[in-house]
């Protein structure tokens, strides 16, 4: 090509620059394309020159391109000239990719020409997509984040269609973090983020709202039967352990269910309804689901307020353990104590468990306070048994602790930390909690017994356990509820039931402890029917640690009710 020196310089510059350049005539024929253009589109130079520009334009866009070129060639001022435009282009292999094209148009010697600079913006598009994903998806699990999930929920509810929302909280997740560290905890959340979509399929919307809290939207169904079925499927799926790097981690789930529009017509309202139901599920001991009920709103708010105050109380050392003596009925010697929580409220004074335990059992805070209680009880056991080692401390377990896969490890660590013999500690659970998940309960109790710690059924006779079912559980103690003891002298049915429980307990090799003994007449009847141990105001009210230690130091025999500052 014979060009003037300045034109030659311009040609050489265009041919060697990294930016793709192309020039076409009024007929749309490619008259020039530099090496960068050929490399970008996958052509050799001879494959480009003289070809129609439509070779790089997707078919769906060719009509608009031809019309624009015709208008520009007729003298109309092109609206896109000089402005970068993002469009799609075709490579030689037929694949589309995004480009940014800047057009220039001119007339030379009466002929129309068009030129363009082209950039491949695939990486930029991918980066933008990643940023969009980061803005809408949880970076750890890849599920929708709270903002995106609520946006989708709001859009669905705006149509007025029925749908189902499940709020899910992981039971035992905090224990995993405490025992194995946050890296394992994060890996477990990622595993949950895989298991849920695999289980529920593409038609559901799944999000991680924060921490170990997840939400599931079934956008096409407000049927409670379907909601119940899907919730049961999720709970069943979580019975299978998570395998992470050689660890077998057991994790349960609690689920709250809200149906739209009955339980909420706006996203935040429906989410709050599901959240109320979730707290009710956790109050039942976890690994359960509950539907929202209107009465939950006021009740849940009050309990949340109480829970917030309790969290502050734990940090401010306002909680205290009181100890109620348990005695051998034949000798009246103290054989141990039951550890009972009290709250030294700065405004309301000393609060009994009934004032705050209902709200405590609806949150993971129960586990925090429960583990603190075990630590305090083990320290008390160590102090009591410095000389002859014959006193035990009984501790009530919260349902959240009992469901924890690390219960046995946490107890073992506390025993070792305080140098306490396992037989000095006894864990108490109610039959209702144990029967809520019988198979898992048996395994948990066996693990406790294997390390030598005692296991007691508390308030026995008030729940649904059959006498034969007790054979499954590795118990050491049966505690007879105070309701059978109060009128044991005057109600023959109470006396008959108590006599049967004592006989059965003796046959099974269990210790029997009667609760709520307030008078010597009750004590006499219980002693006559063979009950071994008792607990109640006759022997002492729950007392502070220093009073309990003083009781032991005074020979440990109860001659008359202990009058100490206690409740």
């Amino acid at each position: 090509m014979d060009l003037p020196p300045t034109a030659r310089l311009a040609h050489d510059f265009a041919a060697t620059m990294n930016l793709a350049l192309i020039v076409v005539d009024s007929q749309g024929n490619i008259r020039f394309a530099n090496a960068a253009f050929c490399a970008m589109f996958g052509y050799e130079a001879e494959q480009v020159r003289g070809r129609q520009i439509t070779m790089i334009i997707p078919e769906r866009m060719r009509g608009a391109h031809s019309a624009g070129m015709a208008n520009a060639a007729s003298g109309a001022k092109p609206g896109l000239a000089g402005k970068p435009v993002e469009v799609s282009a075709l490579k030689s292999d037929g694949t589309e990719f995004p480009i940014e094209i800047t057009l220039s148009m001119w007339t030379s010697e009466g002929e129309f020409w068009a030129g363009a600079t082209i950039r491949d913006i695939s990486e930029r598009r991918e980066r933008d997509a990643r940023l969009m994903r980061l803005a809408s998806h949880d970076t750890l699990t890849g599920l929708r984040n709270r903002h995106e999930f609520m946006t989708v929920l709001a859009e669905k509810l705006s149509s007025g269609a029925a749908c189902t929302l499940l709020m899910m909280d992981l039971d035992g997740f905090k224990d995993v973090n405490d025992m194995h560290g946050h890296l394992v905890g994060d890996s477990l959340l990622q595993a949950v983020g895989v298991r849920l979509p695999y289980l529920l399929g593409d038609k559901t919307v799944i999000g991680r709202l924060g921490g170990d809290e997840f939400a599931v939207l079934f956008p096409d169904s407000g049927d409670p039967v379907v909601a119940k079925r899907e919730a049961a499927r999720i709970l069943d799926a979580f019975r299978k352990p998570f395998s992470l790097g050689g660890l077998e981690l057991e994790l349960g789930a609690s689920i709250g269910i809200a149906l739209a529009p009955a339980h909420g017509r706006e996203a935040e309202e429906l989410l709050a309804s599901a959240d109320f139901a979730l707290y009710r599920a956790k109050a039942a001991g976890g690994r359960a689901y509950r539907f929202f009920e209107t009465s939950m709103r006021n009740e849940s708010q009050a309990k949340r307020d109480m829970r917030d105050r309790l969290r502050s109380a734990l940090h401010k050392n306002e909680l205290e353990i009181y100890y109620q003596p348990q005695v051998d009925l034949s000798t009246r010697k103290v054989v141990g104590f039951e550890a009972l929580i009290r709250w030294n409220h700065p405004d309301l004074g000393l609060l009994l468990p009934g004032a705050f335990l209902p709200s405590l059992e609806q949150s993971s805070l129960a586990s925090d306070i429960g583990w603190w209680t075990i630590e305090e009880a083990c320290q008390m056991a160590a102090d009591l048994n410095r000389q002859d080692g014959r006193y035990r401390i009984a501790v009530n377990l919260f349902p959240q602790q009992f469901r924890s896969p690390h219960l046995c490890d946490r107890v073992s660590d506390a025993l070792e930390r305080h140098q306490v013999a396992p037989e000095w500690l006894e864990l108490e659970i109610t039959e209702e909690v144990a029967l809520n998940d019988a198979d898992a309960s048996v395994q948990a109790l066996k693990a406790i017994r294997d390390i030598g710690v005692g296991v007691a059924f508390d308030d026995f006779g008030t729940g649904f356990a059959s006498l034969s079912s007790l054979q499954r559980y590795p118990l050491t103690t049966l505690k007879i509820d105070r309701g059978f003891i109060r009128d044991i002298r005057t109600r023959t049915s109470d006396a008959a039931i108590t006599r049967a429980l004592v006989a059965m307990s003796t046959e099974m090799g269990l210790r029997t402890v009667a609760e709520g003994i307030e008078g010597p007449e009750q004590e006499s009847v219980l002693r006559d029917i063979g009950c071994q141990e008792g607990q109640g105001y006759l022997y002492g009210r729950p007392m502070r640690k220093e009073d309990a230690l003083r009781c032991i130091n005074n020979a440990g025999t109860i001659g008359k009710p202990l009058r100490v500052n206690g409740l």
Side-chain angles (χ1 to χ4, degrees):
M1 183 183 297
D2 189 13
L3 296 172
T6 53
R8 167 59 64 183
L9 286 173
H11 180 275
D12 291 347
F13 173 71
T16 58
M17 69 184 303
N18 291 328
L19 190 65
L21 297 175
I22 188 175
V23 177
V24 300
D25 59 24
S26 59
Q27 304 302 312
N29 297 312
I30 300 174
R31 301 291 292 273
F32 172 81
N34 68 354
F37 175 91
C38 294
M40 181 182 296
F41 286 87
Y43 291 104
E44 298 294 335
E46 58 270 16
Q47 295 176 303
V48 174
R49 291 194 191 94
R51 296 277 302 279
Q52 278 282 308
I53 187 61
T54 51
M55 67 185 293
I56 68 167
I57 300 174
E59 186 173 353
R60 66 181 183 281
M61 301 169 61
R62 289 173 185 173
H65 164 76
S66 298
M69 286 290 289
N71 287 337
S74 67
K77 184 176 181 180
L80 298 179
K83 299 178 181 179
V85 179
E86 294 185 7
V87 295
S88 294
L90 280 179
K91 291 188 177 185
S92 61
D93 60 4
T95 59
E96 288 192 22
F97 70 110
I99 62 170
E100 181 185 85
I101 182 170
T102 304
L103 294 173
S104 297
M105 298 179 184
W106 69 93
T107 301
S108 177
E109 299 179 358
E111 186 174 354
F112 172 81
W113 298 87
T117 59
I118 301 173
R119 298 177 186 273
D120 182 347
I121 59 172
S122 298
E123 289 187 3
R124 189 169 78 194
R125 284 280 182 88
E126 291 175 1
R127 183 176 66 251
D128 291 345
R130 286 196 299 269
L131 291 175
M132 286 293 293
R133 183 172 178 80
L134 288 173
S136 61
H137 284 70
D138 174 49
T139 55
L140 182 64
T141 63
L143 300 175
R144 286 176 170 82
N145 61 20
R146 185 184 188 92
H147 179 269
E148 177 66 10
F149 184 88
M150 295 301 290
T151 299
V152 174
L153 179 60
E155 291 175 353
K156 180 63 182 177
L157 293 177
S158 66
S159 69
C163 61
T164 298
L165 175 64
L166 270 59
M167 281 277 289
M168 188 178 81
D169 185 86
L170 305 181
D171 299 332
F173 177 73
K174 187 177 186 302
D175 293 328
V176 172
N177 267 343
D178 292 343
M179 295 295 295
H180 301 289
H182 290 282
L183 288 178
V184 173
D186 287 348
S187 297
L188 185 56
L189 290 174
Q190 290 171 333
V192 172
V194 171
R195 184 172 293 189
L196 282 177
Y198 178 80
L199 173 69
L200 301 175
D202 298 333
K203 293 184 179 181
T204 57
V205 180
I206 305 173
R208 180 186 174 216
L209 304 188
D212 62 336
E213 199 168 57
F214 294 80
V216 179
L217 173 65
F218 295 93
D220 300 320
S221 174
D223 187 344
V225 175
V226 175
K228 180 178 179 180
R229 182 189 67 210
E230 295 299 326
R233 289 181 63 220
I234 294 173
L235 295 181
D236 188 60
F238 273 75
R239 296 181 190 277
K240 179 181 178 182
F242 289 83
S243 297
L244 299 175
L247 294 174
E248 290 287 319
L249 301 176
E250 294 184 1
L251 197 66
S254 298
I255 298 174
I257 306 172
L259 307 176
H263 300 155
R265 296 179 180 274
E266 297 183 355
E268 290 293 346
E269 181 185 9
L270 191 67
L271 186 73
S273 297
D275 200 22
F276 291 142
L278 172 62
Y279 277 104
R280 183 64 61 86
K282 294 187 74 66
R287 303 192 183 192
Y289 63 83
R290 292 291 185 272
F291 281 87
F292 171 75
E293 298 173 4
T294 305
S295 61
M296 293 179 182
R297 290 189 184 276
N298 293 337
E299 178 185 347
S300 293
Q301 187 58 51
K303 289 180 178 179
R304 284 189 179 191
D305 293 342
M306 178 64 78
R307 188 174 66 252
D308 290 340
R309 291 195 293 269
L310 268 170
R311 183 174 288 106
S312 175
L314 178 62
H315 294 152
K316 293 179 179 179
N317 297 319
E318 294 175 4
L319 299 182
E320 184 178 0
I321 301 297
Y322 274 50
Y323 298 90
Q324 185 170 31
Q326 296 175 336
V327 304
D328 184 314
L329 293 182
S330 62
T331 64
R332 280 201 166 190
K333 284 187 174 296
V334 176
V335 293
F337 293 87
E338 181 178 2
L340 301 165
I341 300 177
R342 298 291 186 265
W343 181 3
N344 292 302
H345 196 286
D347 301 320
L348 304 177
L350 191 67
L351 297 183
L352 300 181
F356 56 89
L357 283 189
S359 60
L360 182 62
E361 291 174 350
Q362 293 191 28
S363 105
S364 59
L365 180 61
S367 292
D368 294 339
I369 295 180
W371 301 132
W372 169 81
T373 302
I374 287 179
E375 291 288 339
E376 292 291 307
C378 285
Q379 182 60 61
M380 177 60 165
D383 293 340
L384 279 174
N385 294 294
R386 293 191 186 281
Q387 295 181 353
D388 52 13
R390 57 189 176 91
Y391 301 104
R392 67 176 181 274
I393 300 294
V395 181
N396 291 280
L397 285 180
F398 290 109
Q400 289 86 339
Q401 288 177 285
F402 188 59
R403 303 289 181 230
S404 169
H406 307 296
L407 171 62
C408 192
D409 293 333
R410 295 293 293 259
V411 172
S412 295
D413 290 346
L415 293 174
E416 182 177 355
R417 190 159 35 250
H418 297 282
Q419 295 297 296
V420 172
E423 60 270 20
W424 298 347
L425 183 66
E426 183 172 77
L427 302 183
E428 296 186 3
I429 61 168
T430 63
E431 57 185 281
E432 179 182 0
V433 170
L435 293 173
N436 193 39
D437 190 349
D439 291 338
S441 298
V442 170
Q443 295 304 315
L445 295 179
K446 283 183 177 178
I448 290 297
R449 288 298 300 126
D450 286 345
I451 63 174
V453 172
V455 176
F457 257 8
D458 194 15
D459 299 334
F460 188 77
T462 60
F464 303 99
S466 65
L467 299 182
S468 60
S469 69
L470 291 179
Q471 296 177 339
R472 299 184 58 197
Y473 295 94
L475 304 176
T476 56
T477 304
L478 205 61
K479 298 191 72 175
I480 302 175
D481 184 71
R482 66 183 65 246
F484 297 112
I485 307 303
R486 183 177 55 250
D487 300 318
I488 194 170
R489 293 183 64 253
T490 57
R491 293 184 60 178
T492 56
S493 59
D494 286 350
I497 291 173
T498 303
R499 185 179 294 105
L501 291 177
V502 170
M504 177 200 64
S505 180
T506 303
E507 286 293 323
M508 296 177 64
L510 305 179
R511 291 173 36 253
T512 311
V513 180
E515 298 182 288
I517 304 175
E518 298 184 359
E521 299 86 358
Q522 296 167 328
E523 179 189 55
S524 177
V525 173
L526 288 166
R527 191 166 47 236
D528 289 343
I529 65 176
C531 186
Q532 300 147 309
E533 297 178 12
Q535 176 180 341
Y537 288 175
L538 179 63
Y539 313 112
R541 293 174 177 268
M543 61 191 75
R544 285 192 165 91
K545 179 177 179 178
E546 56 270 24
D547 292 322
L549 291 173
R550 187 160 49 248
C551 165
I552 294 301
N553 291 334
N554 292 334
T557 300
I558 305 295
K560 57 183 179 178
L562 291 177
R563 300 299 181 188
V564 296
N565 295 324
L567 288 172

